[in-house]
Amino acid sequence: MTLTTEAKSLLLSLGVAEADFSGGTMPSYSPVTGEQIATLPVDTPETAAAAIERAKAAFKDWRLVPAPKRGELVRLLGEELRASKEALGKLVSIEAGKSPSEGLGEVQEMIDICDFAVGLSRQLYGLTIATERPGHRMMETWHPLGVVGVISAFNFPVAVWSWNTALALVCGNPVIWKPSEKSPLTALASQAILNRALARFDGAPENLSQVLIGTGEIGNALVESPDVPLISATGSTRMGRIVGPKVAARFGRSILELGGNNAGIVCPSADLDMALRAVAFGAMGTAGQRCTTMRRLFVHESVYDQIVPGLKKAYASVTVGNPLTSSALVGPLVDKLAFDGMEAALEEAKAAGGVVHGGARADVEGDAAYYVHPALVEMPSQTGPVTEETFAPILYVMKYTDFDEVLEQHNAVGAGLSSSIFTTDLREMETFLSARGSDCGIANVNIGTSGAEIGGAFGGEKETGGGRESGSDAWRAYMRRATNTINYSRELPLAQGVTFDID
Ligand code: NAD
């Protein structure tokens, strides 16, 4: 069976209508073989505007449904995802080039966030706050916000939608999703799965969740609409630089989940075996196409000659291959653009004095697919391409001497997503996690930079955009807060002792 027929049969089995993925004008490719697997009808700014109108109408009803009942819909979504896990996971592998375990893992994240959101639907708490006025009570209430626009990247084609949608739904908001133009099929499948949950749920308005297919132009229709109070945009910092100011200019709210340039520090006291395994997996897994992929590694001079030969060995022996037909750790890059970006970065690194190990194109599945051997680059210092994210499997390794200096270096890049330190020294560990330590949204000890759990708030600082999604109190961004003061006394104490002569 070709990937085209396999994708078609999965889509149909998941409940997507054939007209939604064939006969249109937007091609969709599988990075696994480079073959075109579908042609989708696309949305226009006009159809996007109509979707926003429909979502606004849905909001009027959905906001009135009690939150625990809204949670029941998300519980059903979790059930439907469990039932469709194999098929959706496989489609993720075909469309995003992930290994079967990564494809299934992504669907498991969707299930996990549903479970989390069901509990959350009974915990949308506000505070009661001490008031300075006698006979008064002051409290906070949290209300649904309105239409949530979700713009997502190709590399987590379904999990990011679920992080946003599970929370948005329990918070009382409809969702309009503009998936990456590189991964539209899994979006249609996810919507079909949600539709099955909706069919089993009594009391949801029409158009609670909609998908718009197209490029950034369609995302822009959401970004510029004053009727979409929250834009949750995941993708490159380049995209965030455009989207962020536009949403701010209309006083909208945004959750920006942008690029990362994540680093690890290997200290003298580190468990070196553990560090090696964590670094190799975090830097090469998913072919370096995770926002949390480890891209920079600082190694103390006393252990450099143990870590770097170990890494070279791991890089030389790692298997690169078709994720669907082999057990290779490293699958394809998403497309030619990603491959060109990697080649350019490696050239730049060489020009800046870097010594490159690996990095060549691998001959897998012919010319239309882009497989590479991951690259390990020993750099004399943090210069050239090291300070920017290249969305490919390149790990820049640098030697350090002084702990305070390495902390400075660690933080001296634009992005601020994920970070980790490998140490058994309590002082180094606590310093790394302290106010003068890592400036990232995620700071780990003795584990790699990737693999965040849904229970924590996910996101990063600086050029990563500052947004938080998923667990902890990330739900607050999806609601509006009202501070309420109630006077149950017979007095009306006015500020500054003002009185009116009205008796
Ligand atoms: P991308 O920026 O090319 O595209 C992301 C999404 O933004 C797509 O849906 C695209 O159509 C849309 N878009 C692009 N321009 C737009 C515009 N002007 N207005 C509205 N929408 C627009 O990113 P990508 O190549 O799909 O994904 C890789 C990038 O995403 C990497 O930088 C990676 O680090 C980042 N990423 C970040 C996170 C995170 O949580 N921080 C998660 C996954 C990926």
Side-chain angles (χ1 to χ4, degrees):
M1 199 168 16
T2 64
L3 287 186
T4 312
T5 31
E6 200 169 359
K8 180 176 173 181
S9 114
L10 286 167
L11 284 161
L12 294 175
S13 78
L14 285 162
V16 180
E18 192 165 352
D20 288 342
F21 62 86
S22 64
T25 55
M26 191 175 93
S28 162
Y29 301 92
S30 169
V32 176
T33 55
E35 74 189 82
Q36 186 175 319
I37 51 173
T39 47
L40 295 91
V42 287
D43 278 282
T44 62
E46 291 71 36
T47 62
I52 294 170
E53 284 307 312
R54 291 193 294 271
K56 273 169 67 184
F59 177 58
K60 286 203 167 127
D61 292 337
W62 188 239
R63 64 185 171 175
L64 303 180
V65 175
K69 184 157 186 214
R70 300 194 295 248
E72 170 63 8
L73 172 62
V74 175
R75 193 185 68 72
L76 295 172
L77 173 59
E79 275 187 16
E80 294 296 338
L81 283 166
R82 282 177 169 88
S84 300
K85 184 174 173 181
E86 291 291 324
L88 185 59
K90 187 74 194 276
L91 197 59
V92 168
S93 290
I94 292 174
E95 192 172 46
K98 294 188 173 190
S99 69
S101 66
E102 286 174 330
L104 291 172
E106 197 170 333
V107 184
Q108 186 58 46
E109 274 193 37
M110 303 173 85
I111 293 167
D112 292 344
I113 193 70
C114 286
D115 289 354
F116 177 92
V118 174
L120 180 66
S121 71
R122 293 178 183 272
Q123 300 174 72
L124 302 172
Y125 302 135
L127 298 172
T128 301
I129 299 159
T131 157
E132 58 197 49
R133 287 169 284 201
H136 284 59
R137 184 160 69 86
M138 183 156 66
M139 63 180 186
E140 283 179 344
T141 43
W142 292 86
H143 299 293
L145 185 67
V147 181
V148 175
V150 177
I151 296 170
S152 59
F154 79 86
N155 66 320
F156 274 93
V158 289
V160 166
W161 169 73
S162 68
W163 292 357
N164 283 284
T165 299
L167 261 56
L169 288 177
V170 299
C171 290
N173 307 314
V175 175
I176 305 179
W177 180 17
K178 208 302 283 174
S180 166
E181 53 274 43
K182 294 176 189 172
S183 57
L185 299 178
T186 41
L188 295 176
S190 302
Q191 176 67 39
I193 291 168
L194 176 53
N195 286 347
R196 277 200 287 288
L198 282 162
R200 293 169 58 199
F201 180 81
D202 187 19
E206 297 275 294
N207 305 305
L208 198 50
S209 167
Q210 303 175 77
V211 177
L212 298 174
I213 299 296
T215 60
E217 182 200 15
I218 302 305
N220 188 57
L222 296 172
V223 167
E224 290 193 340
S225 170
D227 292 323
V228 182
L230 173 62
I231 293 288
S232 175
T234 300
S236 57
T237 295
R238 182 197 58 77
M239 176 274 286
R241 282 192 207 287
I242 300 169
V243 166
K246 283 191 181 178
V247 178
R250 62 171 175 83
F251 300 106
R253 197 184 282 182
S254 56
I255 298 174
L256 297 176
E257 300 280 351
L258 310 175
N261 190 0
N262 318 295
I265 301 175
V266 182
C267 300
S269 68
D271 176 327
L272 297 185
D273 278 348
M274 188 193 262
L276 263 175
R277 279 184 292 127
V279 170
F281 179 74
M284 293 191 278
T286 327
Q289 296 168 115
R290 280 177 179 241
C291 50
T292 51
T293 290
M294 192 180 288
R295 308 196 182 280
R296 298 177 293 142
L297 184 68
F298 298 98
V299 184
H300 190 264
E301 58 184 1
S302 65
V303 291
Y304 193 87
D305 290 338
Q306 287 153 278
I307 284 285
V308 174
L311 278 175
K312 279 189 199 161
K313 209 167 147 195
Y315 270 68
S317 63
V318 75
T319 45
V320 180
N322 180 321
L324 300 174
T325 57
S326 75
S327 58
L329 176 72
V330 180
L333 291 178
V334 68
D335 57 17
K336 181 173 188 308
L337 208 63
F339 174 70
D340 291 346
M342 178 167 175
E343 282 211 308
L346 291 179
E347 284 307 314
E348 219 188 307
K350 277 185 209 157
V355 179
V356 178
H357 310 278
R361 188 164 176 188
D363 186 15
V364 184
E365 296 297 338
D367 283 353
Y370 291 87
Y371 289 79
V372 288
H373 295 282
L376 182 72
V377 184
E378 291 182 80
M379 290 296 290
S381 62
Q382 185 162 257
T383 50
V386 186
T387 54
E388 298 293 327
E389 176 193 57
T390 299
F391 215 54
I394 304 177
L395 178 66
Y396 300 106
V397 190
M398 289 152 285
K399 201 182 271 184
Y400 83 88
T401 308
D402 178 71
F403 187 66
D404 287 334
E405 270 172 30
V406 80
L407 284 183
E408 294 271 325
Q409 287 289 299
H410 176 276
N411 292 346
V413 295
L417 181 53
S418 187
S419 58
S420 57
I421 190 167
F422 295 89
T423 182
T424 54
D425 180 320
L426 191 66
R427 290 190 181 115
E428 284 174 344
M429 176 186 101
E430 289 291 346
T431 304
F432 185 72
L433 302 181
S434 77
R436 72 179 184 93
S438 163
D439 62 0
C440 293
I442 298 169
N444 294 335
V445 178
N446 293 333
I447 64 165
T449 51
S450 61
E453 292 180 35
I454 62 100
F458 183 87
E461 303 301 332
K462 304 191 296 184
E463 290 177 8
T464 303
R468 291 296 186 277
E469 291 177 338
S470 193
S472 184
D473 63 352
W475 62 270
R476 289 168 190 248
Y478 300 78
M479 302 200 85
R480 69 177 170 85
R481 179 199 318 237
T483 302
N484 310 129
T485 306
I486 300 153
N487 179 359
Y488 59 89
S489 75
R490 292 176 195 282
E491 306 297 326
L492 186 68
L494 295 179
Q496 286 89 43
V498 171
T499 55
F500 291 103
D501 191 10
I502 52 177
D503 291 328

